[in-house]
Amino acid sequence: MSNLDPLLDSSNFALGRLRALLEDGSFDGEQRLPSERVLAAQIGIGRRALRRALEVLEAEGRIWRHQGKGTFLGPRPPEQPSDLDELSRRTNPLEVMDVRLEIEPALARLAALRASNGDIERLLHLADKTASMSDADGRELWDSALHRAIAEVAGNSLLLAIFDMVDRIRQDATWRLLRERARSGARQQVYVDQHRRVIAAIAQREAHAAEQAMREHLELVRDGLLKVMMSPLPDGKDPQQAISENTEDQRLHGT
């Protein structure tokens, strides 16, 4: 094929050649494709036409490209957050509540099966401290300590590690406004009563009742957050905008 051949600059021709190579398995076993220079020479097309054809294949999910690393077969893998701060920016309170509803009822059930008398006394003490706090910071602090103690009593190190990761994400400052607004006086008293029901079920070794009591508690917490997220602030400011204006040094524990 000569340099004057118009097919060298035909993106459609390039796309057809690439599709044929993908379909006949020419790249099977090679997660990474050859470089653009090598690939263009291999199939007899120009670099410009090749790049355009690759764009189409990437849009279709047949390949994905990483600048400086190359072109790879298959759809682009999901991005992996490098740390909890990045993960916190990528998630939201309702996603966190989804995770809590999956793991914390199970932790309460396990705690009912494994708690010692000393564990029960510790849980009751933490519940009393939570109920006695008159300020938001104190309630948040002791509430978080109570939930973690239940996770510890459950006796599963992997679930505890997941709990700790979620708990650290809950400390993000951007959620402070939501949590504070969701804690009305009446709702806080319900939270206190629910904590006591969870601990009573654990003390009685009623695993199913402990699981259900924790689920009901977290569902109420989630409903409170959802209502706050959907409600305008008194000054008319959008709640999401107000949340984003909180500074990084205003970190508190969540409910």
Side-chain angles (χ1 to χ4, degrees), residues 5-211:
D5 194 324
L7 290 180
L8 281 172
D9 290 324
S10 172
S11 299
N12 278 329
F13 175 76
L15 181 59
R17 295 282 287 133
L18 286 171
R19 287 192 195 282
L21 290 173
L22 291 174
E23 291 169 4
D24 68 15
S26 296
F27 300 131
D28 279 358
E30 294 185 21
Q31 181 64 26
R32 181 176 179 178
L33 272 63
S35 68
E36 289 185 1
R37 179 181 59 81
V38 173
L39 192 57
Q42 177 181 340
I43 60 180
I45 56 178
R47 297 277 294 276
R48 178 172 174 270
L50 174 66
R51 291 193 189 100
R52 289 184 171 181
L54 290 173
E55 287 180 10
V56 174
L57 292 176
E58 186 173 23
E60 293 175 348
R62 304 285 300 276
I63 64 168
W64 64 280
R65 293 181 290 177
H66 190 295
Q67 186 174 2
K69 293 186 178 181
T71 302
F72 302 86
L73 291 174
R76 181 181 296 276
E79 295 183 10
Q80 297 297 321
S82 60
D83 53 38
L84 285 179
D85 288 336
E86 181 180 347
L87 180 57
S88 180
R89 289 191 293 270
R90 289 163 54 88
T91 189
N92 61 68
L94 295 183
E95 286 189 347
V96 169
M97 291 309 305
D98 286 343
V99 176
R100 294 187 68 189
L101 277 162
E102 290 297 325
I103 66 171
E104 290 196 52
L107 287 168
R109 173 172 53 81
L110 291 173
L113 299 173
R114 298 170 179 173
S116 66
N117 290 336
D119 292 330
I120 301 300
E121 291 180 4
R122 179 161 65 104
L123 295 179
L124 288 171
H125 172 70
L126 292 172
D128 288 342
K129 292 291 292 185
T130 303
S132 68
M133 292 296 106
S134 59
D135 64 293
D137 181 67
R139 286 193 297 266
E140 299 278 2
L141 176 65
W142 289 103
D143 179 277
S144 181
L146 172 60
H147 280 267
R148 192 181 192 282
I150 293 173
E152 290 177 341
V153 173
N156 186 299
S157 59
L158 182 56
L159 283 173
L160 179 60
I162 296 172
F163 176 92
D164 282 341
M165 181 180 70
V166 175
D167 194 51
R168 285 180 59 189
I169 293 172
R170 290 165 57 210
Q171 297 172 33
D172 188 272
T174 60
W175 298 359
R176 179 187 178 196
L177 181 61
L178 281 178
R179 295 195 302 267
E180 289 184 349
R181 292 184 66 215
R183 280 179 173 274
S184 66
R187 185 176 291 269
Q188 178 60 31
Q189 183 56 51
V190 176
Y191 291 160
V192 168
D193 294 339
Q194 289 179 328
H195 285 160
R196 297 193 186 284
R197 285 200 293 273
V198 172
I199 297 171
I202 293 174
Q204 295 166 9
R205 317 303 179 189
E206 294 288 345
H208 177 73
E211 181 176 11

Side-chain angles (χ1 to χ4, degrees), residues 93-94 178 182 220-231:
L94 295 183
L178 281 178
L220 184 65
V221 173
R222 181 184 60 185
D223 290 345
L225 287 172
L226 183 59
K227 288 178 181 178
V228 169
M229 292 174 72
M230 300 299 291
S231 302

